[in-house]
Amino acid sequence: GNLTSVIAISGVAVGVAALVVTLAVMTGFREDIRGKILGAQPHLVVMGSQGSLAAGDWSDVFLDVPDVQAWAPFVLGQALIRKGSTTLGVVVKGVEPEKESQVTQLDKKLVDGRWDELAAPTREGVPVFLGKELARSLNVSIGDEVLIAVPTPQTAVMSGLPSLFPFKVAGILETGLYDYDSSLAVTTLPAAQTMFQMPKDYSGLGVRLKDPDDSLGAAMRVQKNIGSAAWVRSWLALNRNLFAALKLEKIVMFIVLTLITLVAAFTIVSNLLLVTAQRVHEIGILRAMGATRGAIQRIFLLKGLLMGTLGTAVGVGLGLALSLVLKRYQFIKLPADVYYVETLPVKIMPSDVGLVAGAALLIVLIATLYPSRLAAKLDALSAIRQL
C-alpha cells in the first residue's frame, strides 16, 4: 500500500511540476516577445492611405485622445545596401531622433554609437544605424561607409540604374527581434525623404500610448479624427498572428500535460481500491460499530485528496524551483533566428500556478469518488464473515 501511495503522489507531483515549468516558459516567451516588439515598434502606426502624409504638425489629430503621450513622423521604404561586393535588401526608416525616442525605444537599443549623431549630420557623411545582424552580414563597423540604392521610377525607365546614396555607419542596433536586426537601417528624416523622393511628405506617424494593452480604443479614436487620409493600426493588430499562435500553444500544452496528472489520478484510484480490498474486515467492524456509509466514504475521499494535495504541493514547489533555476542560470540556449530569443525566458504568473493546482486537485477529487463509494457500499455482516 505504501509503495503505491508514493508512486501515486510522485505521479501527481511530476505532472504538476511539468505544467508549472511549461506555463512559466510559455508566459515568459509571450512577455519577452511583447517587450521586444514594444521596444522596436510604436504602439500605434498611422500610415498614409495614398502612401504618404503631408509633412507638418499632426498634433491636432491626437488632441482629444487622452491616451496618446507622444507622436513621431517617419519615412519608410525598401532599398538595397551595399558594402564591397555584398548587397542586401533593407528597410530604411528615416526618423526625427528627438521625437522618435519618445515613441519607440530604438535609442535604448543601440549597442554601439550615440543616438544624438542622428540629430546633426557631420561632414563625414549622413549617419545610418544598422541592425546587428545586418552589420554582421555586411561586415561593417562604426565609421565605415555603405551605399544605399533606391530604384527610382524616372531613372529606372531611362537607364535601369538605381540612385546611389553614401552613408556613414554611426551605430549598431539590437532590438532582439531577428526581422529588425537583420534588415533595419535607421537614418535622418531629411535623408530618407530625399532618397525616396518625398521632400514634403511622411510615410506615416508612430504614436506612444499610456497603456499599450488598451490600444484598440485609442486606434479607433485616432482613425475617426484623421478620416480617410490614413489608416491606423495598433501593435497588437500588426502582430495578431504571432500572439494568437502563442496563446494556442499555451492552451494545447496545458491540455497535453494535464494528461500526466490524469494518469497519476488512476494510480490513486488503484491505490484506494487496493486499500478497500485489504481492509474489508476493518470496514465491516466500523460499519457494525455504527459508522455510517457517508463516514466511510469521507475517510476514503480524504485519503485520496490527501495524496492529491501532497502531490500537488510537492509538484508546485518542484515546478517553481525548476523555473527559478532556469531563470537564474539560463543554461538552455536557443537559435535566435527561429525563436527571437537566445535563452529560455521564464515568467511565473500566480494565476497560472493557481490554475494548475486547481486542475490537479479537481482531477484527483473526481478520481477518488468511485473507490470511496465502493468502500461505503460494503455490507457490514458479509465483510465481518470474510474472516
Side-chain angles (χ1 to χ4, degrees):
N2 281 350
L3 182 63
T4 52
S5 296
V6 170
I7 290 169
I9 291 167
S10 306
V12 174
V14 168
V16 168
L19 255 171
V20 168
V21 173
T22 306
L23 292 188
V25 170
M26 289 275 183
T27 309
F29 256 112
R30 188 190 179 280
E31 291 298 305
D32 195 88
I33 290 174
R34 178 184 178 279
K36 283 173 175 169
I37 284 174
L38 287 178
Q41 290 182 7
H43 298 169
L44 294 184
V45 177
V46 181
M47 293 290 277
S49 46
Q50 302 301 317
S52 63
L53 292 169
D57 189 359
W58 284 84
S59 304
D60 299 354
V61 178
F62 308 114
L63 277 181
D64 64 340
V65 190
D67 310 343
V68 172
Q69 285 188 319
W71 67 277
F74 62 81
V75 167
L76 203 63
Q78 292 182 323
L80 293 170
I81 191 165
R82 196 172 97 206
K83 172 70 179 161
S85 57
T86 313
T87 306
L88 296 167
V90 287
V91 174
V92 177
K93 185 176 186 181
V95 298
E96 280 185 15
E98 190 64 37
K99 283 187 168 180
E100 185 69 21
S101 58
Q102 293 170 6
V103 171
T104 63
Q105 291 168 15
L106 283 178
D107 56 320
K108 296 186 182 72
K109 304 292 178 190
L110 278 180
V111 283
D112 211 346
R114 290 197 343 271
W115 184 250
D116 56 17
E117 284 197 36
L118 274 182
T122 57
R123 272 173 302 183
E124 294 160 37
V126 187
V128 67
F129 293 166
L130 303 180
K132 188 181 170 188
E133 300 291 333
L134 178 61
R136 187 182 293 162
S137 305
L138 288 169
N139 197 18
V140 293
S141 52
I142 287 196
D144 288 354
E145 189 178 273
V146 289
L147 289 172
I148 295 184
V150 182
T152 53
Q154 293 91 333
T155 52
V157 173
M158 300 289 287
S159 59
L161 289 174
S163 311
L164 281 174
F165 299 88
F167 283 88
K168 181 178 129 287
V169 179
I172 307 293
L173 287 159
E174 186 179 8
T175 61
L177 294 169
Y178 185 78
D179 294 359
Y180 278 66
D181 292 343
S182 61
S183 64
L184 184 65
V186 178
T187 186
T188 65
L189 194 67
Q193 284 174 319
T194 306
M195 265 169 63
F196 296 114
Q197 295 191 343
M198 29 199 310
K200 293 191 170 63
D201 290 319
Y202 302 144
S203 298
L205 315 170
V207 181
R208 182 177 181 80
L209 302 172
K210 273 199 193 83
D211 178 15
D213 289 319
D214 186 27
S215 54
L216 190 67
M220 286 165 74
R221 278 199 292 280
V222 174
Q223 182 72 71
K224 193 170 135 245
N225 290 352
I226 209 160
S228 60
W231 51 264
V232 184
R233 292 281 185 281
S234 72
W235 68 278
L236 268 171
L238 292 170
N239 301 285
R240 181 177 284 130
N241 292 353
L242 178 62
F243 286 107
L246 287 173
K247 191 174 181 180
L248 182 68
E249 276 182 11
K250 194 171 171 178
I251 294 168
V252 170
M253 290 307 273
F254 182 79
I255 293 167
V256 169
L257 290 169
T258 308
L259 295 177
I260 300 178
T261 318
L262 208 58
V263 172
F266 281 112
T267 324
I268 292 178
V269 171
S270 60
N271 175 271
L272 292 175
L273 289 173
L274 195 68
V275 171
T276 310
Q278 285 172 342
R279 308 252 188 251
V280 165
H281 184 198
E282 283 92 330
I283 293 168
I285 291 172
L286 278 173
R287 292 277 290 116
M289 286 167 71
T292 62
R293 286 188 170 177
I296 304 281
Q297 186 168 355
R298 277 197 295 278
I299 291 169
F300 276 82
L301 264 178
L302 278 171
K303 182 176 162 62
L305 270 178
L306 191 68
M307 287 159 69
T309 307
L310 200 61
T312 304
V314 171
V316 166
L318 191 65
L320 291 176
L322 268 169
S323 300
L324 290 171
V325 166
L326 269 175
K327 191 173 186 172
R328 175 101 192 264
Y329 297 107
Q330 300 189 334
F331 43 79
I332 298 179
K333 295 279 181 265
L334 303 170
D337 53 343
V338 180
Y339 293 107
Y340 292 99
V341 286
E342 279 158 17
T343 55
L344 269 187
V346 178
K347 187 173 180 13
I348 299 160
M349 298 278 281
S351 56
D352 285 351
V353 178
L355 186 70
V356 169
L361 289 173
L362 186 68
I363 289 170
V364 169
L365 177 67
I366 292 167
T368 49
L369 283 174
Y370 171 69
S372 62
R373 286 173 82 169
L374 201 71
K377 277 182 182 168
L378 281 179
D379 183 48
L381 285 172
S382 61
I384 293 171
R385 277 201 201 107
Q386 281 182 27
L387 272 169

